Amino acid sequence: MKPVRSAKSQRTRQNLLSAALRVIGREGYTAATVDQIVREAGVSKGVAYYHFKSKEEIGASILAEKTDQIHDRLAVCAEEGRAPDETLHLMLTTFTELAFHDLVFTRFLMNELWREGRIWSDDLRRKMGLISTLIAEQIERGQRSGLFRPQLDARFLATGMIGLVITNAMRVADPEAEHPMSEDAFCAQVALLFRQALLTENRASEGACPPCQAAGSPDRPAHAGATAPAMPHQ
C-alpha cells in the first residue's frame, strides 16, 4: 500500500516534476541532470532523492502521469453519450488541445514513445495502447452504426490519428515554425481528414463530421482554445 502524501510533499513532488520537464525541454532527456533539475525546482538534492530514486524515475513519473491524464480526458469524452462521430471529433480536438498546450511534454512523448531500453518503454507503449483503444472503440461504434466505412481497420486508424496529432502539433504549433498554424486551423485540418477518411460516401457528402468552430462560437467543443490549462501533474 502506497503511503499517503501530505499536501506539502505532493506540492514538492509536483514542483520537481514540472522543473524536470522544463529542463528536459531545454536540454533533452539524455543531457538533463539531477543537479539542473534541483536548481530549476529550488530544492536540495536530498529532497529530490527523497521523492525519486533517480533521474530515470523522474522521467518515468512524468510520462506515466501525463499519459494517464490524456487517457482520462478522452475517457470522459466517450462517457458523454454522443454519437460516435461527435465523440471521436471531441476526442481528437481534446487531444489536439493537450498537445498544443503542453508542447514540451508532447516533444518528450514523441521522442520516447518508440525508444527501446528506457525503464518506462514497455509501460509507455501499454498506456498509449489504451489511449489508442479508446479512439478505436469509437471508430468501431461508427462502423457498426453504418456511419463509418466498414472496410477500414479501426486500430490502425486510431494509432495513425495519435501519431498525426503528435508529430504535426510539434511541426506547426511553434510560432517560429516555417509554416505555423493555430490550434483552430490545425483542428479543422484534422476534422477534414477524419471526414474524408472515415465517413461513408453518403455521410461525407452531407458534411456529417462537424469541423472545429471558430474561437468564441457557441458550437465549439469544450476544448476552448487558449483558455484551456495544460495537464497538471497529480
Side-chain angles (χ1 to χ4, degrees), residues 143-161:
Q143 289 174 322
R144 289 193 296 272
S145 69
L147 181 63
F148 297 159
R149 301 174 192 271
Q151 68 270 33
L152 297 175
D153 187 305
R155 304 287 166 158
F156 179 86
L157 285 172
T159 302
M161 288 176 180

Side-chain angles (χ1 to χ4, degrees), residues 15-42 55 58 62 104-105 107-108:
N15 180 40
L16 279 163
L17 292 174
S18 298
L21 190 54
R22 292 194 297 272
V23 172
I24 291 168
R26 293 195 302 266
E27 308 292 335
Y29 173 78
T30 300
T33 67
V34 174
D35 286 335
Q36 291 171 323
I37 292 168
V38 297
R39 282 199 299 272
E40 183 80 18
K55 183 182 82 169
I58 293 174
I62 292 170
V104 174
F105 172 69
R107 183 179 295 108
F108 187 29

Side-chain angles (χ1 to χ4, degrees), residues 6-232:
S6 69
K8 181 179 179 181
S9 176
Q10 182 60 25
R11 286 195 299 271
T12 301
R13 184 177 184 277
Q14 179 178 334
N15 180 40
L16 279 163
L17 292 174
S18 298
L21 190 54
R22 292 194 297 272
V23 172
I24 291 168
R26 293 195 302 266
E27 308 292 335
Y29 173 78
T30 300
T33 67
V34 174
D35 286 335
Q36 291 171 323
I37 292 168
V38 297
R39 282 199 299 272
E40 183 80 18
V43 301
S44 70
K45 215 168 184 178
V47 169
Y49 282 117
Y50 171 80
H51 289 277
F52 303 100
K53 296 177 182 178
S54 62
K55 183 182 82 169
E56 288 76 16
E57 188 173 309
I58 293 174
S61 295
I62 292 170
L63 289 163
E65 293 181 17
K66 284 190 173 279
T67 50
D68 282 344
Q69 290 159 16
I70 294 171
H71 179 276
D72 292 348
R73 287 283 301 274
L74 298 189
V76 168
C77 297
E79 292 168 357
E80 293 182 351
R82 293 178 174 86
D85 58 331
E86 295 174 346
T87 300
L88 185 56
H89 179 258
L90 183 57
M91 283 181 164
L92 292 176
T93 53
T94 298
F95 192 34
T96 296
E97 169 206 338
L98 297 174
F100 264 68
H101 287 275
D102 203 346
L103 287 173
V104 174
F105 172 69
T106 302
R107 183 179 295 108
F108 187 29
L109 174 63
M110 183 176 69
N111 288 342
E112 297 299 325
L113 185 52
W114 296 109
R115 193 187 301 273
E116 298 290 347
R118 302 289 203 204
I119 65 170
W120 55 72
S121 296
D122 291 343
D123 189 56
L124 179 59
R125 285 194 283 273
R126 180 185 66 81
K127 287 176 181 290
M128 292 304 294
L130 294 174
I131 292 169
S132 180
T133 295
L134 285 175
I135 296 172
E137 286 172 350
Q138 298 307 313
I139 297 173
E140 289 167 349
R141 279 185 64 213
Q143 289 174 322
R144 289 193 296 272
S145 69
L147 181 63
F148 297 159
R149 301 174 192 271
Q151 68 270 33
L152 297 175
D153 187 305
R155 304 287 166 158
F156 179 86
L157 285 172
T159 302
M161 288 176 180
I162 290 171
L164 180 148
V165 171
I166 291 174
T167 57
N168 282 285
M170 293 306 309
R171 184 177 65 85
V172 303
D174 186 341
E176 298 182 1
E178 183 177 358
H179 301 291
M181 185 179 292
S182 70
E183 181 183 336
D184 288 309
F186 184 93
C187 179
Q189 287 295 309
V190 172
L192 177 62
L193 180 62
F194 157 58
R195 179 166 60 244
Q196 295 301 321
L198 283 177
L199 293 175
T200 59
E201 290 184 10
N202 289 340
R203 295 290 289 179
S205 64
E206 296 169 4
C209 170
C212 285
Q213 304 297 320
S217 166
D219 295 326
R220 190 180 182 198
H223 70 292
T227 63
M231 293 179 289

